[in-house]
Amino acid sequence: LTTRLPATPNMAVRSGLPRMIKKPKGCDRITACLVNAAFFGAFGSSYLYGYNLSVVNAPALYIKTFYNQTWMERYGEPIGADMVTMLWSITVSIFAIGGLLGALCVTLLTKLIGRKGTLLLNNGFAVIAALLLALGEKARSFEMLIIGRFVMGVDSGIALSALPMYLGEISPRHMRGSIGQFNSILICLGVFTGQVLGLPELLGQESRWNFLFAFLALPALLQLCVLPFLPESPRFLLMERRDEAGAEKAFRAFLGKKDVSKELEEVHAEGRAQNTLHMASVTELLLNPALRWQVITVIVTMACYQLCGLNAIWYYTNGILRDSGFAENVIPYIVLSTGGIETLAAVVSGLVIERIGRRPLLIFGFSAMAFFFGLLTVFLNFQDQYTWMPYLSFTCILAVIASFCSGPGGIPFVLTGELFEQSYRPAAFMIAGIVNWVANFAVGLLFPFMQESLQTYAFLVFLVVCVLGAVYLYFILPETKNKTFMDISQSFAKINNVPLGNKEIENELAIKAGSKEICTRYDGYHNSVTCYIRKESMGIY
């Protein structure tokens, strides 16, 4: 039965249909199971990625000394300065090469063993890396340190794709952004932990630097102890494993309610709407015209995530503090403020993302970064003329970090999970991971040359990147908060030049009637309500 309705905001009421859209009981609850899955999933994954971004800074001098001593023991002569620089550069940059390899493996792993299974398997890479990095000095092998950094990169590459996928699929849509921000918050907390443990009073000493790397095993082992007792992604269980009983059990655990028929039906509707339920390859995703602008949006946001200049900020922080007159032994403690601001901004973003939305936070974050990069360029050029100018420069650095973490620092990972339906999601995360790690490697490789040739004007390059990113998102990206995955796909239908009517869409409403359910679906393209009957015991429509 199809009934034409007037296209008004309150169609059901004005047309005489009963108001059937009600806020389900307990929909605002956040359960212990959901929080544990988000926290421990991120603690053994993105936390380790953040920790590895900062942990190599404190022991850098001691590691170079170790390289020299090992070289002397093997070849009977001191290592050349160029060789030390090359070995250190390889040690730092090979992390990104490992990350790229990890990102390439994600689609296969998540298909074979699921989202949670991939996270659990990934802990093995973290433990192996911790052993290689911690025991390299005892074994007198700098090769173990390089291989350990590569293996840790593989772990991070897998984690930064599998974790956002898992968080996006276990979260109710009105909490998807907040739960997804656990990824960003734990990255920032990992960076901060690396800074704290690297202090001279703790592990930042020549006799203790190997313990900084041994710490990598702790979050991985903790996740191995907790995550097996938490459910797999219910969307994965239902759509890819055809395990409806397991999906229902998982939904009940994550949502904290017995009646999860609405959630199950939403996943079923997405499955019926897709032309195929087999996991699409990267090639199929790239060639699908209905997903063209979703792919472009993910590539742009991920590229801007790495190319916006935050990594380059760390090159300048210590120099600006030295120019400000701070003693060398005090600088590490002041640098802690950068990690603290980063973590605080990420937490605030997680708290407000469901109120403000993804799109405004991203546009604001990139715009604010562009503004403060402009100010920083001005202040750096006048730094030698006024004694108080370095303080303003450092304030701009803190503002850039806060702006990044307010949106661009975590939302690109959330968006990657939201812009694609189930069968395309693993391939989308592979593309996002490849862009992320290639851009990461490019910044590490090219920024020293930019800094040498442009000096303080190097930040103007990042200003342009941030402006372009904000402009693109303003004109292209729709808001995705509190929308189903099908709703989001429909938001791109017009720009992709795909007819809206080719998928089942919008609201799934139900009235129970004995062993049957009479359901209605509003079709926004045909402007109609379709009624159908489902026999619950048979799953027939």
Side-chain angles (χ1 to χ4, degrees), residues 271-284:
R272 294 193 302 272
Q274 295 182 46
N275 295 326
T276 175
L277 287 177
H278 87 278
M279 292 298 102
S281 66
V282 171
T283 303
E284 290 173 321

Side-chain angles (χ1 to χ4, degrees), residues 120-433:
L120 287 172
L121 176 66
N122 202 31
N123 289 307
F125 291 111
V127 172
I128 292 171
L131 291 173
L132 288 169
L133 290 164
L135 299 178
E137 184 189 26
K138 298 292 182 183
R140 312 307 294 172
S141 170
F142 57 77
E143 293 89 350
M144 288 177 64
L145 268 66
I146 295 173
I147 296 171
R149 283 283 291 175
F150 174 78
V151 174
M152 198 63 233
V154 173
D155 173 273
S156 297
I158 295 173
L160 290 187
S161 293
L163 177 67
M165 203 184 309
Y166 181 61
L167 297 183
E169 292 181 6
I170 69 175
S171 308
R173 65 173 180 260
H174 65 281
M175 295 181 186
R176 202 164 52 220
S178 297
I179 296 299
Q181 282 295 80
F182 270 81
N183 180 52
S184 174
I185 293 169
L186 268 294
I187 289 176
C188 298
L189 190 59
V191 171
F192 186 62
T193 304
Q195 292 174 338
V196 171
L197 293 182
L199 292 174
E201 291 80 4
L202 297 176
L203 302 180
Q205 299 182 18
E206 189 169 10
S207 60
R208 301 178 185 174
W209 64 265
N210 53 338
F211 291 105
L212 281 170
F213 296 113
F215 177 80
L216 292 169
L218 181 61
L221 292 174
L222 188 58
Q223 189 187 80
L224 276 173
C225 293
V226 176
L227 205 58
F229 300 99
L230 297 171
E232 174 61 272
S233 158
R235 302 181 70 84
F236 169 80
L237 292 173
L238 187 57
M239 298 186 72
E240 298 180 39
R241 287 288 185 265
R242 304 294 195 272
D243 183 3
E244 184 151 0
E248 184 175 358
K249 184 178 178 180
F251 268 130
R252 286 176 177 173
F254 286 129
L255 302 181
K257 60 181 183 180
K258 293 184 178 180
D259 183 10
V260 293
S261 57
K262 180 181 177 182
E263 287 74 16
L264 289 171
E265 177 53 34
E266 181 182 309
V267 180
H268 276 303
E270 182 182 336
R272 294 193 302 272
Q274 295 182 46
N275 295 326
T276 175
L277 287 177
H278 87 278
M279 292 298 102
S281 66
V282 171
T283 303
E284 290 173 321
L285 175 56
L286 293 174
L287 295 179
N288 190 334
L291 299 172
R292 181 181 298 116
W293 282 98
Q294 288 95 311
V295 173
I296 294 173
T297 300
V298 164
I299 291 174
V300 169
T301 52
M302 273 298 172
C304 290
Y305 169 77
Q306 287 292 350
L307 301 177
C308 66
L310 190 78
N311 290 339
I313 281 290
W314 306 116
Y315 288 94
Y316 262 88
T317 303
N318 286 1
I320 290 173
L321 291 174
R322 291 189 190 96
D323 293 339
S324 301
F326 290 101
E328 192 69 33
N329 60 342
V330 177
I331 289 178
Y333 303 95
I334 301 175
V335 171
L336 287 179
S337 62
T338 60
I341 288 291
E342 196 174 16
T343 305
L344 179 62
V347 171
V348 172
S349 176
L351 294 175
V352 303
I353 187 173
E354 295 300 347
R355 291 179 177 270
I356 298 177
R358 288 75 156 139
R359 183 173 177 271
L361 285 176
L362 275 174
I363 295 171
F364 166 79
F366 282 125
S367 301
M369 287 183 74
F371 174 75
F372 289 113
F373 273 136
L375 286 182
L376 180 60
T377 302
V378 173
F379 295 154
L380 288 174
N381 278 282
F382 288 97
Q383 189 156 289
D384 297 331
Q385 301 182 24
Y386 304 97
T387 57
W388 44 268
M389 192 63 73
Y391 296 94
L392 293 180
S393 300
F394 184 65
T395 302
C396 280
I397 286 176
L398 295 179
V400 167
I401 293 171
S403 301
F404 174 80
C405 292
S406 67
I411 295 178
F413 297 98
V414 176
L415 276 182
T416 305
E418 290 184 329
L419 296 186
F420 299 90
E421 294 174 353
Q422 191 78 13
S423 60
Y424 291 99
R425 197 169 294 130
F429 270 102
M430 179 184 284
I431 293 173

